[in-house]
Structures are given as structure tokens and as C-alpha cells.
Amino acid sequence: MRAMWAAALLLMIYALGWRFAPGDPLEQHREMARAGPSAGHWLGTDDFGRDVFSRFLAGGSWSVLEGASATALVLALGWICGAAAAMRRGWTDRILSAIIELLLTLPWLYLLIGLRSLLPLGMAPRKAVAVMLLMIAAVSWARPARLVRGLVLSLKERGYVAAARGFNVPEWRIFGRHILPGTYGLLATQALVLFPRFVLAEVTLSYLGLGAGEPDPSWGGLIFDGLKRAYGLSEQWWRVLPPILMLPLFVSCAIAARVAARRFLPSR
Amino acid sequence: MRLNSVPLSAGAVAIMALSIVPAKPVAEHPVRGGILHVAQRAELKTFNPVVAIDAPSREVLWRLNGDLLTINRVTQKVVPGLAESWTQSHDGKRYTLKLRQGLRFSDGAACTADDVLFSWAVYLDEAVQSPQRDLLLIDGKPIQVSKVDEHTVAFGLPEPYAAAERLFDSLAILPRHKLESAWKSGKLREAWGVGTPASEVVGMGPFRLKEYRPGEAILLERNPYYWQAGLPYLDGIEFRLLADEELQLARFVSGDLDILNRLSMQSVSYLTSKGATVTDLGSGLEYNVLCFNLSPGNSKLGSFCKREFRAALSLATDREAIAKLVYQGRAVPLWGHVSPGNRLWHSSRIAHPPLSVEAARNQLSAAGFRPNGKGQLIDPATGMPIGFSILVSSSSPERMQMAALLAADWAKLGIEVTVAPLEFRSLLERVLKTRQFDTVLLGLGGGDADPNPEMNVWLSSGGMHVWNPNQKQPATDWEAEIDSLMRRQMVTIQPAERRRLYDRVQEIAAAQVPMIFLASPNVVIAQRGNVGNFRPAVLHHFTLWNADELYLRKDGSQRR
């Protein structure tokens, strides 16, 4: 439970971090490039004299918000398709299951690189990343859909569902009252699995040079730009270390929250 | 003409050593013996110099093979190689080369005019698809070769071609006795693959293949039949396969490597922090440019086609910041396409207008571009705010940074600029084929110092005329003038007149601004201080071009 609260608190800090940024994360002060930490710039400045702390906060907000958006979309799609396949069975189930199998085999990284080259060049890099993350989401709903389908199939066979059918309760009412609530726990744990994964996806995109990109900050961009420019941690460690430390901390919180959720959330 | 995905260049102005490395050989007696250890970034693809196109293969093959004439990488001038002398006819259409007496391949077989004729026939054979073939065609017609006697060959050019002697550089003379049967049976492309026994790979270079250990190293040994008596000094060269740059640095610092070729700027910073000897050779031949898409059909053509618009953007470009922030001061700001590193062709007459946002605004205003109430620059033709994207390779952090600086510079003029990173092949597809881009940030140059290899950039009909390629007729008067100047310089034999013509090309390019010239990065290399006769240059191949003269000092710092 504590982990859940800690994760929630961290999320709040990350998501709203840009509001507390002491400076404009995009404003360049070229005469102050690569300065060390100081009272005015807690984490120093980057190659263009931009305040690294402000970029760290703003980048965190972006990474968290895009991760949350992609997670919500995946869960919505996965839940609808999985539940529909299980409830309808027949052709609906067969077609949706075939699509799920197909999506699970797609090489999403190559898809993304190809997709990036098709997007309009005038699209701001941040919007382009958002589109790409939505695309990841569009091909990532298969796994939660498969889990939801399996769970709904199992729930349909429970005694209390059979009893409701015996009393001629309509299917939609059985679904709403007896089956739907049984999927909440699964959705919550899936959210905690997918959310850090999508945040890490942004880091991967940045590593490939296809992330938010200049001039917008993001965790992935800060880490890899910092590592490339500062050559590991030997120089300007203050610039590279915060996002490097924050990322595993964030993922660890998500894992701890998932473990706590398994105990805390109701399961039927 | 080469288009660089990653910084690669050549050309130099000054030697700026961080730690003291003698640029000229000091008076000391070369010592024979020892193996030089260098890094190799990727696995070899072939030992066949006719078909090798990848840099790792060519890097090794240059040591194994000899050319008739060669470019001294320091002076950037042509000097004798396997040919001891050459003469040129008055009309510039016939070159006669006299081979040295007693030339032998690395297996001991004699090398004669017949081998030169055989090599020429192979390179020109369309079925072989040699990458060198295009270099041997002038206006689509091949350079003919004929045997005068056993040691003299004559080359007939279809048209006069200035500096034609430079074509012979890096063109390996092939052993007819080893490769003729493969060529006649149509299997020359497959010959001398990486599985070929070392004794079968024969050349005229200072070294010959001793051992190839896939995934580990390529070991070359001294060629006992090398034409220069007493050379090479080294017993051999070992190319160690180290794909990762950080691994190379670590091995260099630990003493396992003697030389590092062409360092990135962050590697320089790392090495200097470790106390290594790093030599900055100054500006290379590569030049970074922002190129406008001036092809018909581009939606931004209304603004881009106005010279004043392009010139105003150039005025508002902080080139000093690019050199200082992106390349950490190891680059030269550029206002023309020939970098100071190209000592033979750099024009000092190109104007260097200082950075001035105010002057840029005035120029835009005079051309009808004025800001609206929100500070956005308005296109007078459409009444809409001006904005465009900069296409940039996602694999080049330096160019990504340059694009970010340009976007910030031009935001001061009220122009919204979007940086669009793309994977390099997708970028090339858009720039060279579909033409779906507004502007693109590229690295050009880096080959020879001579203007002729860049004909396809400057001729309006050229495929690499990036701002508007493959034109049937020049779209503008100034492009027509450049066409004329480039064609004339190509067939002008007198150096001074050639120089005058090419200076004019540089002036027109700088004045018309089809590309905004940004910066030329320096060539930086590192060595451990134990290599004698070490004369790195900014032309390819930066450090090992005089491998036959290099030696290892016995009293210097020694490898473990």
C-alpha cells in the first residue's frame, strides 16, 4: 500500500513537474553552456546553456503523460476487444483472436522507424512521438485483450453467473453486474505493467534519435544526449545522473505498486 | 562527391596539438621492426580492391595495393607511385606514364604494362560493376589505355580533363596472373573473398596479407618485393576489430592500440582527460550545410526562391555558436563551400558577414517579409506565417544540435522552425528521390580536394545538386553561370585560370545562398607517441596514408 502511495506521489511530481521548473526549459543562454551546478542552475546547464533542472522536470512530465495516455488507450482497446471476443464467441472471437495473434508477432521497433519516415515533416517532434506512441498502443492491446478474454471466459462459467442466467437475467446485465467488476483487478495490474513500459519506450525512441528531439526535453533525450556529450559519467555527472536515477526509481515504484495491487485489489 | 551520414572529412590549415606531437618528422633514424596496432570499426567484406566499397575493406586494401600516381595527403599534390614519371600532351588529352623498373607483386611476379592494361579493362568492364568505373568515364566515354612498351603506358582522354593525374590515386594495379581467369569466367566479383588463403591475395602495396582472424583481427606483414628499397620499416600492421568507439578508447588508453583515426569531439574530451596525445589537424574538407528545397512543387518555394529570404536567414545564423557549442571549438565557421582545410581551392575572397539579426530583419523587410502583431514573420504572397522544417539524420547528434541552434536563431526573426529527425536512409529517400522536405541539414564533401569530384553537386543537371537536382535546363541565370564555370574549369589545363573559374563558383554560391554553409569540423586523431614519421593529414586516409614510412620508436612509450 505504501508503495502505491509512493508511486502515486512520484507520478504527481513527475506529471506536474513542469509547473515547478525554475526556468524556461527551452531558453538558450549560449554564453553559459555546460556550466556546473550553481544556485541559479541546480543541475547546471546543457550544451546550449539551457537549465538542466528545468528540462529534467519538464521532460519527466512529458514522459509520464505520454506513458499514461498510451496505457489508457491500450487498456481501453484491450478490454473492449477481449471482452467482446469472450462474450460473443463464434466468428467475433475467431477474428479477434487471429488479429491478436498477428499483433503479438509484429516487430514494433521496425514499424516505428518506418512510420516515423511517413509522418509529415512539419509535425513537431513531440507530436510525432505522441503519434508513434499511439501506434505502439494500437499494436500493444493484444496482450491485455488476450488476458481479459481468458478471464471473462472463466467468469462466465462461475456458479453465480449460471444462477443469474437461470433467473433469466439479460446478458448485458449479467456482464455489467457480475463479469465486468471481475476484470478491474486485471486492468489495474496491467496498467502498472504497461505504464513503465511505455515510459521506457520513449527512452528507446530517444536512443534511436527518434524521440521528442531538439529542442523539447524528455527523460530519454536527457539521458542519451547527456551520455553522448559528456562521455559517460566522467564529465558533467550532474547532468546525466538525475534522469538515470529517476528512471529505475520510477520503474521500481511501478513494480512495487503492482505487487501491492495484487494483494489489495479484489479478485473473484 | 560524398554525402556524409557521420562526420568524415579531409583538408587542413593548421596543426594544433593539444599535447605536443611533432607535425613534421624530427631528425631521428627510423627503426625497422615491430607491429603497428590500429583499430578497425567493422568486419572486412572483401580483399578484392575492384569491388570493395565499404570503408573497413578499403582501409586495409589501401595498405595491400599500389597505385600508379598517388596524392600526398599532406601537400594534397600528386606524386609518383608505381609510375616514376608522367607527361601530359599539350591538348591535355594524353597522359604517358613510365613504370618503375623491376616492379614486383607481393608474390614475386613481375608487374608490367600488361598488368596496367588488365587492371584498366577490369575497372571499365560493366559486368564487374566496379565503383571506380564512373571515375574513369569522362562525359560518359571511357579513358582508353594503350601499351607503349613493357614499362610505358599511354592514357587517351576523350576530352581534356584538368588534374586527370589525380584519377590514378587509390586505383589498385591488379595482378593479371592471379585474376585474369576469374575475370574471363565472369567471376571476378567473387574473387578474393574474405575466405581466400592469404598467399593468394597479391598486391603492390607496402604490406601483404598474413592472417585474417574473423571477428578479431587482420594481420599484414611487410611486402619483401615492395618497390621502395628499405621500406616499409614496420614488420606489419594489425587491424584489431573493435566496433565500439568506447572500447577503442579504452584499448588505446590501456596501450593496446598505437593510433586512433578520426575522433569524435566527445572522444577528444575523454582522451585529453586521460592525458592521451591528441592532435587536431584543423578543418577537414567536409562542410555542413542547410540546403533549401528549391524544386518546383515545394509548398515553401514562394519564400525560399527569394534570394533575400535565404540571405537573411544566413545573416541570422550564429556559425560561431555551432563551432563552439556543437564541436566544442573544433570546427571552422563557413560562409562558402570550400573549407580552409582545402588549401588548394579555398577562396579567401568570400565575404564573412557578421551575425546580425537586425540586418537580417531589415533585409527581410526590404523584400516584403514583415512580422504580424504576434511577432510571426508573414509571407507577403500568402499572408500566412512562415514556418518550415529542417530534415536531419537521427544518427548524427551534431547535426541534431545544429538544427536546434538554427531553429532558435531563426525564431528571433519570427519563423517557426521544426526539427524533423529521420533515419538516414529515409532522409536520403526524401532528399534525392521524393523531394518531400523543406530544408535539410547535410554534411557534404570529404573526398578529394579537387573540384571535379563535386561536379554532380554544382551542375544543375547533377543528381546531387541538392536544392534542385536533375534539371533539364538551369532554372536560374546564376545556376547557368555555375554550369558554365564548372564545365570550363573541368577542361582548363592552366591552374591559375582554373582557380579563377572555381573562385567565381564559390562567390556565386555564397551570394545566392542555395545552401547556408555552416561549419567544417576539424580532423582530430590520436597516437601514443611511439610512432615515427607520423604525418597525419586531413585527406582520407588520415593517419596511415604513409604506412610504408611509419616506424615504432624503441625508446618511446611501449605497448604492453
Side-chain angles (χ1 to χ4, degrees), chain A residues 151-175:
Chain A
L151 181 62
V152 171
L153 283 176
S154 156
L155 291 172
K156 275 174 73 178
E157 303 304 319
R158 297 286 168 93
Y160 54 86
V161 175
R165 281 207 186 94
F167 287 107
N168 286 329
V169 178
E171 279 295 313
W172 62 267
R173 195 174 172 84
I174 294 173
F175 178 73

Side-chain angles (χ1 to χ4, degrees), chain A residues 67-102:
Chain A
S69 311
T71 304
L73 185 71
V74 165
L75 290 179
L77 277 172
W79 183 81
I80 291 169
C81 294
M87 293 302 290
R88 301 279 300 177
R89 302 305 307 263
W91 280 107
T92 310
D93 188 20
R94 265 177 259 166
I95 290 170
L96 282 170
S97 295
I99 293 172
I100 288 168
E101 293 292 337
L102 179 71

Side-chain angles (χ1 to χ4, degrees), chain A residues 124-144:
Chain A
R126 181 148 283 183
K127 281 186 192 160
V129 175
V131 170
M132 290 166 79
L133 282 164
L134 289 180
M135 283 302 297
I136 297 179
V139 297
S140 302
W141 58 266
R143 195 169 295 279

Side-chain angles (χ1 to χ4, degrees), chain B residues 173-206:
Chain B
I173 297 304
L174 308 170
R176 182 179 164 192
H177 65 288
K178 286 284 182 188
L179 291 173
E180 190 173 31
S181 59
W183 180 51
K184 285 187 170 166
S185 59
K187 292 182 177 168
L188 194 116
R189 284 189 68 81
E190 291 78 42
W192 286 2
V194 290
T196 307
S199 59
E200 286 299 304
V201 179
V202 169
M204 293 294 297

Side-chain angles (χ1 to χ4, degrees), chain B residues 12 257 288 314 322 335 346 429 479 539:
Chain B
L257 297 174
N288 287 294
S314 178
I322 290 174
W335 284 264
H346 174 68
E429 177 83 11
E479 283 174 289
L539 276 177

Side-chain angles (χ1 to χ4, degrees), chain B residues 307-375:
Chain B
R307 193 203 73 84
E308 296 80 5
F309 180 82
R310 303 192 301 264
L313 261 57
S314 178
L315 266 177
T317 299
D318 190 352
R319 293 171 171 84
E320 299 286 349
I322 290 174
K324 186 181 162 198
L325 301 179
V326 176
Y327 291 106
Q328 299 171 27
R330 295 182 189 280
V332 179
L334 287 182
W335 284 264
H337 66 274
V338 180
S339 80
N342 190 338
R343 288 194 255 170
L344 300 176
W345 294 98
H346 174 68
S347 171
S348 53
R349 286 161 51 191
I350 303 294
H352 293 191
L355 167 70
S356 173
V357 177
E358 199 51 45
R361 283 198 188 112
N362 292 339
Q363 193 154 355
L364 286 168
S365 182
F369 295 92
R370 293 193 176 84
N372 63 10
K374 296 177 185 168

